[in-house]
């Protein structure tokens, strides 16, 4: 059940926010949850000896920047490239 094609999670403790008068949103709690979920998925699939491809979709530019900040170390790794 962990490797379904598409999953949605409701992060109830997070709050969206604007920055600098932008109409875009960011939610740091969602970004941190996404990073933790990604790290869990990597550990589980590594133990199972399988490779997976992960995609994260957001319609908000600020959320994309927030995700890029949180995933900075992952994105710079060989695995993240």
């Amino acid at each position: 059940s962990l490797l379904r094609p598409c999953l949605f999670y409701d992060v109830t403790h997070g709050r969206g926010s604007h920055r600098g008068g932008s109409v875009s949103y960011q939610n740091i709690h969602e970004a941190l949850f996404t990073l933790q979920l990604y790290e869990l998925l990597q550990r589980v699939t590594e133990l199972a000896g399988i490779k997976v491809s992960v995609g994260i979709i957001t319609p908000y530019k600020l959320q994309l920047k927030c995700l890029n900040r949180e995933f900075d170390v992952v994105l710079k790794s060989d695995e993240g490239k």
Side-chain angles (χ1 to χ4, degrees):
S1 64
L2 179 63
L3 301 175
R4 294 179 188 179
C6 185
L7 295 172
F8 294 90
Y9 292 91
D10 184 10
V11 181
T12 57
H13 62 277
R15 279 199 107 163
S17 64
H18 296 281
R19 194 171 70 183
S22 173
V23 294
S24 189
Y25 284 95
Q26 67 177 3
N27 186 321
I28 186 67
H29 297 288
E30 287 180 355
L32 291 170
F33 175 80
T34 304
L35 177 60
Q36 292 171 348
L37 186 61
Y38 172 81
E39 290 171 340
L40 173 65
L41 181 63
Q42 290 303 312
R43 285 193 301 273
V44 168
T45 56
E46 185 178 323
L47 288 173
I50 58 176
K51 285 282 225 184
V52 295
S53 179
V54 175
I56 301 167
I57 300 169
T58 179
Y60 303 110
K61 287 183 182 179
L62 279 180
Q63 188 67 3
L64 178 59
K65 289 179 182 179
C66 188
L67 286 163
N68 281 330
R69 279 193 310 272
E70 297 305 319
F71 275 81
D72 185 57
V73 172
V74 173
L75 293 171
K76 290 180 179 175
S77 71
D78 288 338
E79 211 171 75
K81 292 178 184 173

